[in-house]
PDB file of all heavy atoms in Angstrom:
ATOM      1  N   GLY A 404      33.031-115.487   0.034  1.00  0.00           N
ATOM      2  CA  GLY A 404      33.369-114.634  -1.056  1.00  0.00           C
ATOM      3  C   GLY A 404      34.134-115.381  -2.143  1.00  0.00           C
ATOM      4  O   GLY A 404      34.309-116.631  -2.080  1.00  0.00           O
ATOM      5  N   TYR A 405      34.591-114.619  -3.141  1.00  0.00           N
ATOM      6  CA  TYR A 405      35.408-115.216  -4.176  1.00  0.00           C
ATOM      7  C   TYR A 405      36.338-114.168  -4.799  1.00  0.00           C
ATOM      8  O   TYR A 405      36.071-113.004  -4.667  1.00  0.00           O
ATOM      9  CB  TYR A 405      34.591-115.921  -5.263  1.00  0.00           C
ATOM     10  CG  TYR A 405      33.661-115.017  -6.029  1.00  0.00           C
ATOM     11  CD1 TYR A 405      34.087-114.263  -7.045  1.00  0.00           C
ATOM     12  CD2 TYR A 405      32.245-115.091  -5.723  1.00  0.00           C
ATOM     13  CE1 TYR A 405      33.187-113.483  -7.832  1.00  0.00           C
ATOM     14  CE2 TYR A 405      31.355-114.336  -6.447  1.00  0.00           C
ATOM     15  CZ  TYR A 405      31.838-113.472  -7.489  1.00  0.00           C
ATOM     16  OH  TYR A 405      30.995-112.732  -8.179  1.00  0.00           O
ATOM     17  N   ASN A 406      37.384-114.651  -5.388  1.00  0.00           N
ATOM     18  CA  ASN A 406      38.363-113.776  -6.058  1.00  0.00           C
ATOM     19  C   ASN A 406      38.539-114.380  -7.487  1.00  0.00           C
ATOM     20  O   ASN A 406      39.145-115.445  -7.690  1.00  0.00           O
ATOM     21  CB  ASN A 406      39.683-113.872  -5.304  1.00  0.00           C
ATOM     22  CG  ASN A 406      40.729-112.956  -5.897  1.00  0.00           C
ATOM     23  OD1 ASN A 406      40.548-112.350  -6.935  1.00  0.00           O
ATOM     24  ND2 ASN A 406      41.851-112.908  -5.240  1.00  0.00           N
ATOM     25  N   PRO A 407      38.046-113.644  -8.568  1.00  0.00           N
ATOM     26  CA  PRO A 407      38.147-114.170  -9.900  1.00  0.00           C
ATOM     27  C   PRO A 407      39.598-114.369 -10.308  1.00  0.00           C
ATOM     28  O   PRO A 407      40.463-113.562  -9.917  1.00  0.00           O
ATOM     29  CB  PRO A 407      37.521-113.095 -10.724  1.00  0.00           C
ATOM     30  CG  PRO A 407      36.546-112.430  -9.796  1.00  0.00           C
ATOM     31  CD  PRO A 407      37.260-112.403  -8.496  1.00  0.00           C
ATOM     32  N   ILE A 408      39.871-115.433 -11.062  1.00  0.00           N
ATOM     33  CA  ILE A 408      41.199-115.729 -11.485  1.00  0.00           C
ATOM     34  C   ILE A 408      41.452-115.273 -12.940  1.00  0.00           C
ATOM     35  O   ILE A 408      40.639-115.499 -13.796  1.00  0.00           O
ATOM     36  CB  ILE A 408      41.423-117.261 -11.376  1.00  0.00           C
ATOM     37  CG1 ILE A 408      41.325-117.701  -9.845  1.00  0.00           C
ATOM     38  CG2 ILE A 408      42.771-117.715 -11.925  1.00  0.00           C
ATOM     39  CD1 ILE A 408      41.163-119.146  -9.647  1.00  0.00           C
ATOM     40  N   HIS A 409      42.591-114.633 -13.067  1.00  0.00           N
ATOM     41  CA  HIS A 409      42.930-114.098 -14.384  1.00  0.00           C
ATOM     42  C   HIS A 409      44.303-114.747 -14.899  1.00  0.00           C
ATOM     43  O   HIS A 409      45.146-115.000 -14.105  1.00  0.00           O
ATOM     44  CB  HIS A 409      43.042-112.624 -14.370  1.00  0.00           C
ATOM     45  CG  HIS A 409      41.742-111.862 -14.043  1.00  0.00           C
ATOM     46  ND1 HIS A 409      41.277-111.780 -12.825  1.00  0.00           N
ATOM     47  CD2 HIS A 409      40.839-111.343 -14.905  1.00  0.00           C
ATOM     48  CE1 HIS A 409      40.159-111.165 -12.849  1.00  0.00           C
ATOM     49  NE2 HIS A 409      39.842-110.866 -14.095  1.00  0.00           N
ATOM     50  N   ARG A 410      44.365-114.942 -16.166  1.00  0.00           N
ATOM     51  CA  ARG A 410      45.548-115.586 -16.753  1.00  0.00           C
ATOM     52  C   ARG A 410      46.713-114.605 -16.845  1.00  0.00           C
ATOM     53  O   ARG A 410      46.539-113.429 -16.857  1.00  0.00           O
ATOM     54  CB  ARG A 410      45.208-116.105 -18.128  1.00  0.00           C
ATOM     55  CG  ARG A 410      44.167-117.198 -18.152  1.00  0.00           C
ATOM     56  CD  ARG A 410      43.721-117.505 -19.574  1.00  0.00           C
ATOM     57  NE  ARG A 410      44.830-118.075 -20.374  1.00  0.00           N
ATOM     58  CZ  ARG A 410      44.639-118.427 -21.651  1.00  0.00           C
ATOM     59  NH1 ARG A 410      43.471-118.326 -22.238  1.00  0.00           N
ATOM     60  NH2 ARG A 410      45.692-118.952 -22.320  1.00  0.00           N
ATOM     61  N   ILE A 411      47.892-115.224 -16.932  1.00  0.00           N
ATOM     62  CA  ILE A 411      49.067-114.462 -17.395  1.00  0.00           C
ATOM     63  C   ILE A 411      49.770-115.209 -18.485  1.00  0.00           C
ATOM     64  O   ILE A 411      49.435-116.322 -18.790  1.00  0.00           O
ATOM     65  CB  ILE A 411      50.045-114.073 -16.198  1.00  0.00           C
ATOM     66  CG1 ILE A 411      50.704-115.309 -15.623  1.00  0.00           C
ATOM     67  CG2 ILE A 411      49.339-113.291 -15.175  1.00  0.00           C
ATOM     68  CD1 ILE A 411      51.822-114.956 -14.661  1.00  0.00           C
ATOM     69  N   TYR A 412      50.842-114.627 -19.063  1.00  0.00           N
ATOM     70  CA  TYR A 412      51.509-115.169 -20.249  1.00  0.00           C
ATOM     71  C   TYR A 412      50.502-115.236 -21.386  1.00  0.00           C
ATOM     72  O   TYR A 412      49.956-114.238 -21.730  1.00  0.00           O
ATOM     73  CB  TYR A 412      52.133-116.515 -19.921  1.00  0.00           C
ATOM     74  CG  TYR A 412      53.077-116.539 -18.688  1.00  0.00           C
ATOM     75  CD1 TYR A 412      52.863-117.358 -17.660  1.00  0.00           C
ATOM     76  CD2 TYR A 412      54.049-115.559 -18.577  1.00  0.00           C
ATOM     77  CE1 TYR A 412      53.705-117.298 -16.519  1.00  0.00           C
ATOM     78  CE2 TYR A 412      54.862-115.472 -17.485  1.00  0.00           C
ATOM     79  CZ  TYR A 412      54.718-116.379 -16.437  1.00  0.00           C
ATOM     80  OH  TYR A 412      55.460-116.294 -15.371  1.00  0.00           O
ATOM     81  N   GLN A 413      50.322-116.358 -22.054  1.00  0.00           N
ATOM     82  CA  GLN A 413      49.354-116.393 -23.157  1.00  0.00           C
ATOM     83  C   GLN A 413      47.981-116.071 -22.586  1.00  0.00           C
ATOM     84  O   GLN A 413      47.579-116.645 -21.574  1.00  0.00           O
ATOM     85  CB  GLN A 413      49.343-117.729 -23.865  1.00  0.00           C
ATOM     86  CG  GLN A 413      50.682-118.176 -24.415  1.00  0.00           C
ATOM     87  CD  GLN A 413      51.254-117.204 -25.355  1.00  0.00           C
ATOM     88  OE1 GLN A 413      52.181-116.485 -25.031  1.00  0.00           O
ATOM     89  NE2 GLN A 413      50.748-117.118 -26.569  1.00  0.00           N
ATOM     90  N   GLY A 414      47.238-115.154 -23.239  1.00  0.00           N
ATOM     91  CA  GLY A 414      45.915-114.779 -22.746  1.00  0.00           C
ATOM     92  C   GLY A 414      46.041-113.901 -21.530  1.00  0.00           C
ATOM     93  O   GLY A 414      45.087-113.846 -20.734  1.00  0.00           O
ATOM     94  N   TRP A 415      47.128-113.186 -21.380  1.00  0.00           N
ATOM     95  CA  TRP A 415      47.366-112.353 -20.241  1.00  0.00           C
ATOM     96  C   TRP A 415      46.156-111.416 -19.902  1.00  0.00           C
ATOM     97  O   TRP A 415      45.668-110.684 -20.744  1.00  0.00           O
ATOM     98  CB  TRP A 415      48.613-111.531 -20.422  1.00  0.00           C
ATOM     99  CG  TRP A 415      49.214-110.946 -19.088  1.00  0.00           C
ATOM    100  CD1 TRP A 415      48.537-110.268 -18.119  1.00  0.00           C
ATOM    101  CD2 TRP A 415      50.564-111.052 -18.667  1.00  0.00           C
ATOM    102  NE1 TRP A 415      49.337-109.956 -17.095  1.00  0.00           N
ATOM    103  CE2 TRP A 415      50.563-110.430 -17.408  1.00  0.00           C
ATOM    104  CE3 TRP A 415      51.715-111.670 -19.187  1.00  0.00           C
ATOM    105  CZ2 TRP A 415      51.814-110.345 -16.669  1.00  0.00           C
ATOM    106  CZ3 TRP A 415      52.861-111.533 -18.431  1.00  0.00           C
ATOM    107  CH2 TRP A 415      52.924-110.895 -17.189  1.00  0.00           C
ATOM    108  N   GLY A 416      45.708-111.499 -18.687  1.00  0.00           N
ATOM    109  CA  GLY A 416      44.655-110.603 -18.200  1.00  0.00           C
ATOM    110  C   GLY A 416      43.200-111.126 -18.451  1.00  0.00           C
ATOM    111  O   GLY A 416      42.322-110.586 -17.906  1.00  0.00           O
ATOM    112  N   LYS A 417      43.081-112.202 -19.263  1.00  0.00           N
ATOM    113  CA  LYS A 417      41.735-112.730 -19.498  1.00  0.00           C
ATOM    114  C   LYS A 417      41.274-113.456 -18.293  1.00  0.00           C
ATOM    115  O   LYS A 417      42.050-114.125 -17.581  1.00  0.00           O
ATOM    116  CB  LYS A 417      41.805-113.642 -20.719  1.00  0.00           C
ATOM    117  CG  LYS A 417      42.021-112.970 -22.035  1.00  0.00           C
ATOM    118  CD  LYS A 417      41.997-113.998 -23.196  1.00  0.00           C
ATOM    119  CE  LYS A 417      42.294-113.345 -24.495  1.00  0.00           C
ATOM    120  NZ  LYS A 417      42.265-114.365 -25.635  1.00  0.00           N
ATOM    121  N   TYR A 418      39.971-113.444 -18.075  1.00  0.00           N
ATOM    122  CA  TYR A 418      39.340-114.232 -17.031  1.00  0.00           C
ATOM    123  C   TYR A 418      39.527-115.756 -17.359  1.00  0.00           C
ATOM    124  O   TYR A 418      39.339-116.195 -18.463  1.00  0.00           O
ATOM    125  CB  TYR A 418      37.871-113.919 -16.941  1.00  0.00           C
ATOM    126  CG  TYR A 418      37.022-114.735 -15.994  1.00  0.00           C
ATOM    127  CD1 TYR A 418      37.417-114.854 -14.626  1.00  0.00           C
ATOM    128  CD2 TYR A 418      35.884-115.400 -16.367  1.00  0.00           C
ATOM    129  CE1 TYR A 418      36.717-115.612 -13.713  1.00  0.00           C
ATOM    130  CE2 TYR A 418      35.135-116.114 -15.465  1.00  0.00           C
ATOM    131  CZ  TYR A 418      35.519-116.247 -14.166  1.00  0.00           C
ATOM    132  OH  TYR A 418      34.782-116.976 -13.256  1.00  0.00           O
ATOM    133  N   ALA A 419      40.022-116.453 -16.389  1.00  0.00           N
ATOM    134  CA  ALA A 419      40.345-117.892 -16.584  1.00  0.00           C
ATOM    135  C   ALA A 419      39.148-118.809 -16.539  1.00  0.00           C
ATOM    136  O   ALA A 419      39.270-120.028 -16.769  1.00  0.00           O
ATOM    137  CB  ALA A 419      41.385-118.394 -15.486  1.00  0.00           C
ATOM    138  N   GLY A 420      37.961-118.270 -16.234  1.00  0.00           N
ATOM    139  CA  GLY A 420      36.767-119.054 -16.323  1.00  0.00           C
ATOM    140  C   GLY A 420      36.299-119.628 -14.970  1.00  0.00           C
ATOM    141  O   GLY A 420      35.318-120.380 -14.911  1.00  0.00           O
ATOM    142  N   TYR A 421      36.981-119.299 -13.849  1.00  0.00           N
ATOM    143  CA  TYR A 421      36.620-119.852 -12.592  1.00  0.00           C
ATOM    144  C   TYR A 421      37.177-118.900 -11.505  1.00  0.00           C
ATOM    145  O   TYR A 421      37.890-117.891 -11.840  1.00  0.00           O
ATOM    146  CB  TYR A 421      37.070-121.206 -12.409  1.00  0.00           C
ATOM    147  CG  TYR A 421      38.603-121.386 -12.306  1.00  0.00           C
ATOM    148  CD1 TYR A 421      39.219-121.823 -11.096  1.00  0.00           C
ATOM    149  CD2 TYR A 421      39.437-121.164 -13.389  1.00  0.00           C
ATOM    150  CE1 TYR A 421      40.552-121.978 -11.009  1.00  0.00           C
ATOM    151  CE2 TYR A 421      40.818-121.339 -13.271  1.00  0.00           C
ATOM    152  CZ  TYR A 421      41.369-121.750 -12.089  1.00  0.00           C
ATOM    153  OH  TYR A 421      42.698-121.882 -11.964  1.00  0.00           O
ATOM    154  N   ASN A 422      36.870-119.178 -10.230  1.00  0.00           N
ATOM    155  CA  ASN A 422      37.225-118.259  -9.085  1.00  0.00           C
ATOM    156  C   ASN A 422      37.846-119.051  -8.000  1.00  0.00           C
ATOM    157  O   ASN A 422      37.734-120.288  -7.914  1.00  0.00           O
ATOM    158  CB  ASN A 422      35.974-117.592  -8.593  1.00  0.00           C
ATOM    159  CG  ASN A 422      35.162-116.910  -9.639  1.00  0.00           C
ATOM    160  OD1 ASN A 422      35.727-116.060 -10.441  1.00  0.00           O
ATOM    161  ND2 ASN A 422      33.892-117.233  -9.746  1.00  0.00           N
ATOM    162  N   GLY A 423      38.475-118.331  -7.113  1.00  0.00           N
ATOM    163  CA  GLY A 423      38.937-118.895  -5.862  1.00  0.00           C
ATOM    164  C   GLY A 423      37.883-118.520  -4.793  1.00  0.00           C
ATOM    165  O   GLY A 423      37.734-117.402  -4.410  1.00  0.00           O
ATOM    166  N   TYR A 424      37.128-119.554  -4.358  1.00  0.00           N
ATOM    167  CA  TYR A 424      36.075-119.328  -3.412  1.00  0.00           C
ATOM    168  C   TYR A 424      36.515-119.618  -1.971  1.00  0.00           C
ATOM    169  O   TYR A 424      37.429-120.441  -1.740  1.00  0.00           O
ATOM    170  CB  TYR A 424      34.874-120.234  -3.718  1.00  0.00           C
ATOM    171  CG  TYR A 424      34.239-120.028  -5.046  1.00  0.00           C
ATOM    172  CD1 TYR A 424      34.680-120.792  -6.165  1.00  0.00           C
ATOM    173  CD2 TYR A 424      33.211-119.099  -5.241  1.00  0.00           C
ATOM    174  CE1 TYR A 424      34.045-120.612  -7.413  1.00  0.00           C
ATOM    175  CE2 TYR A 424      32.691-118.885  -6.512  1.00  0.00           C
ATOM    176  CZ  TYR A 424      33.102-119.635  -7.558  1.00  0.00           C
ATOM    177  OH  TYR A 424      32.485-119.475  -8.818  1.00  0.00           O
ATOM    178  N   PHE A 425      35.859-118.946  -1.053  1.00  0.00           N
ATOM    179  CA  PHE A 425      36.237-119.151   0.383  1.00  0.00           C
ATOM    180  C   PHE A 425      35.072-118.994   1.330  1.00  0.00           C
ATOM    181  O   PHE A 425      34.119-118.253   1.015  1.00  0.00           O
ATOM    182  CB  PHE A 425      37.447-118.270   0.819  1.00  0.00           C
ATOM    183  CG  PHE A 425      37.136-116.764   0.706  1.00  0.00           C
ATOM    184  CD1 PHE A 425      36.526-116.074   1.759  1.00  0.00           C
ATOM    185  CD2 PHE A 425      37.417-116.065  -0.479  1.00  0.00           C
ATOM    186  CE1 PHE A 425      36.242-114.707   1.649  1.00  0.00           C
ATOM    187  CE2 PHE A 425      37.146-114.723  -0.552  1.00  0.00           C
ATOM    188  CZ  PHE A 425      36.524-114.042   0.515  1.00  0.00           C
ATOM    189  N   VAL A 426      35.207-119.695   2.480  1.00  0.00           N
ATOM    190  CA  VAL A 426      34.265-119.552   3.559  1.00  0.00           C
ATOM    191  C   VAL A 426      35.091-119.340   4.814  1.00  0.00           C
ATOM    192  O   VAL A 426      36.004-120.161   5.035  1.00  0.00           O
ATOM    193  CB  VAL A 426      33.312-120.767   3.652  1.00  0.00           C
ATOM    194  CG1 VAL A 426      32.456-120.658   4.928  1.00  0.00           C
ATOM    195  CG2 VAL A 426      32.449-120.921   2.453  1.00  0.00           C
ATOM    196  N   ILE A 427      34.757-118.376   5.655  1.00  0.00           N
ATOM    197  CA  ILE A 427      35.372-118.231   6.977  1.00  0.00           C
ATOM    198  C   ILE A 427      34.291-118.264   8.011  1.00  0.00           C
ATOM    199  O   ILE A 427      33.305-117.504   7.962  1.00  0.00           O
ATOM    200  CB  ILE A 427      36.163-116.916   7.023  1.00  0.00           C
ATOM    201  CG1 ILE A 427      37.132-116.787   5.898  1.00  0.00           C
ATOM    202  CG2 ILE A 427      36.886-116.778   8.385  1.00  0.00           C
ATOM    203  CD1 ILE A 427      37.845-115.467   5.830  1.00  0.00           C
TER     204      ILE A 427
END
Side-chain angles (χ1 to χ4, degrees):
Y405 61 80
N406 183 356
I408 295 164
H409 295 80
R410 296 172 63 181
I411 66 171
Y412 307 127
Q413 302 304 103
W415 197 309
K417 291 182 181 178
Y418 176 53
Y421 69 113
N422 308 305
Y424 298 95
F425 60 88
V426 173
I427 306 174

